[in-house]
Amino acid sequence: MLRGNYPATVDDKGRVKIPADFLSELRRLGRKFYVTSVAGDHARIYPMKAWEEIERKLAKRSSYNPARQKFLARTNYYGQVVEMDGQGRILIPSILRESAEMKGDVDVQGNLTYLQVWNHARFLDQLNNNPVTAEDIQAFDELGA
Amino acid sequence: MLRGNYPATVDDKGRVKIPADFLSELRRLGRKFYVTSVAGDHARIYPMKAWEEIERKLAKRSSYNPARQKFLARTNYYGQVVEMDGQGRILIPSILRESAEMKGDVDVQGNLTYLQVWNHARFLDQLNNNPVTAEDIQAFDELGA
DNA sequence: ATGAAGTGGGCGGAAGTGGTCGACAATGTA
DNA sequence: TACATTGTCGACCACTTCCGCCCACTTCAT
């Protein structure tokens, strides 16, 4: 399982270093990754196996299913299969880099089965614009957290 | 079970000494801990087993459940898996350290299944700004306390 | 006085960063 | 069509920074 936040940087070539704590787990899952996004506001890095799992589920739906069409239209647009280099870095496709404003400071976050990469400032905005409500607190409480 | 309050300090490297009274119990639960926060106002140190229990509950909810999303966005952001060093100290992730103003005097508190770490002054403010209400008293009473 | 608890800090190896070089594709030119 | 030119990207190399690990000292309680 992938969890936790690690500050990182996107260099001029658009590469991000995968934090060492994720490397052993990711290397275990294979060399190839699918880097994509639905909304273009942040990048998601799926180990190929995890992405294929999603594709399997998509394939079960009719090709005229609107959700399938919208999902694929977006993930195809931003998506690209990439390999990690010898230093443990992954290249973010330039379209996605522009759209998600990823240069300089970013956050790499484990999200159980995949990684998220956010422009640091943009992620903070997200947090602030989605305040925790009283109902949320109650839901958290049910988790025992 | 973890209980009681212990004054401690966060050193320049961001490490907190775990009070000796907690050590035997924590060592029994494993070497790894998940250090995180929901609101960023204080740190929580979960033994990995306890955190995985929470993740199990989260996994039962839909990934589009707002509470799940908000919870994970925050705990992923502040969170990091850390190991205790040979002297019984734990490193607080720098993002969380800044956000919760943890340098110098802090309080380490047992909270049954996890530890809380508060900036000392901030914790006192919390106490003073959240007076005990009549409803609280009633809830206390139901505990038989 | 002695041992346990807590604190500070040095050091080496790992992690992270920047950049060069060469292969190859894309485009332009005779 | 053959060849030159340019630009991009992957692979690799070298340097710097950081932090995990360990050692040593101080403080406190009995």
Side-chain angles (χ1 to χ4, degrees):
Chain A
M1 284 297 136
L2 305 161
R3 49 175 90 80
N5 182 84
Y6 298 82
T9 57
V10 173
D11 66 20
D12 293 344
K13 288 176 151 193
R15 302 172 298 185
V16 229
K17 180 73 173 64
I18 303 300
D21 287 355
F22 293 143
L23 279 182
S24 56
E25 174 74 358
L26 290 183
R27 291 223 169 93
R28 209 175 53 74
L29 297 169
R31 284 189 55 77
K32 300 204 174 202
F33 299 87
Y34 193 56
V35 181
T36 189
S37 178
V38 173
D41 55 346
H42 70 281
R44 288 191 182 179
I45 302 176
Y46 291 87
M48 217 53 216
K49 300 248 181 205
W51 183 254
E52 282 163 0
E53 175 66 18
I54 292 170
E55 284 178 344
R56 249 186 5 84
K57 289 179 186 165
L58 275 173
K60 287 182 183 166
R61 303 188 178 210
S62 142
S63 30
Y64 298 104
N65 176 297
R68 166 177 161 156
Q69 288 187 338
K70 289 185 188 173
F71 185 81
L72 278 182
R74 285 162 178 76
T75 57
N76 278 338
Y77 178 61
Y78 294 113
Q80 209 157 294
V81 176
V82 298
E83 292 195 20
M84 206 186 280
D85 72 11
Q87 274 75 252
R89 287 176 293 197
I90 276 181
L91 181 76
I92 312 282
S94 61
I95 297 178
L96 186 47
R97 231 154 59 218
E98 283 171 34
S99 156
E101 300 176 76
M102 295 198 297
K103 58 176 63 172
D105 291 341
V106 296
D107 291 301
V108 179
Q109 302 167 357
N111 231 301
L112 305 186
T113 56
Y114 59 87
L115 300 182
Q116 280 188 345
V117 186
W118 280 91
N119 170 307
H120 179 67
R122 203 182 242 206
F123 182 74
L124 289 183
D125 283 347
Q126 284 281 322
L127 279 191
N128 298 333
N129 294 331
N130 289 294
V132 174
T133 65
E135 301 94 73
D136 291 333
I137 300 268
Q138 196 166 0
F140 296 172
D141 192 50
E142 286 163 16
L143 298 169
Chain B
M1 285 297 138
L2 305 161
R3 54 179 83 82
N5 182 87
Y6 297 82
T9 57
V10 173
D11 66 21
D12 292 345
K13 288 177 158 188
R15 302 171 299 185
V16 228
K17 179 72 173 64
I18 303 301
D21 288 354
F22 293 142
L23 279 183
S24 57
E25 173 72 358
L26 290 183
R27 291 222 170 94
R28 208 176 54 74
L29 296 170
R31 286 187 54 78
K32 301 203 174 201
F33 298 86
Y34 192 57
V35 182
T36 189
S37 179
V38 173
D41 55 346
H42 70 280
R44 288 190 183 179
I45 301 176
Y46 292 87
M48 216 55 217
K49 300 249 181 204
W51 183 254
E52 281 163 359
E53 176 64 19
I54 291 170
E55 281 179 349
R56 251 185 4 83
K57 290 179 188 167
L58 273 174
K60 287 183 183 166
R61 301 183 179 227
S62 144
S63 32
Y64 296 103
N65 175 297
R68 167 179 160 151
Q69 286 186 338
K70 288 182 188 179
F71 185 79
L72 273 183
R74 284 165 175 75
T75 58
N76 274 339
Y77 178 60
Y78 293 113
Q80 211 156 295
V81 176
V82 299
E83 292 195 20
M84 206 186 281
D85 73 10
Q87 275 73 252
R89 288 175 293 196
I90 277 180
L91 181 76
I92 312 282
S94 62
I95 295 177
L96 186 46
R97 235 155 55 219
E98 283 171 34
S99 156
E101 300 176 77
M102 295 198 295
K103 56 176 64 172
D105 290 341
V106 295
D107 290 301
V108 179
Q109 302 166 353
N111 231 299
L112 306 186
T113 56
Y114 59 87
L115 300 182
Q116 279 189 345
V117 185
W118 279 91
N119 170 307
H120 179 66
R122 207 182 238 205
F123 180 71
L124 291 183
D125 283 348
Q126 283 281 322
L127 279 190
N128 298 331
N129 294 331
N130 288 293
V132 175
T133 65
E135 300 94 73
D136 291 333
I137 299 272
Q138 195 166 358
F140 295 172
D141 190 51
E142 285 162 16
L143 298 169

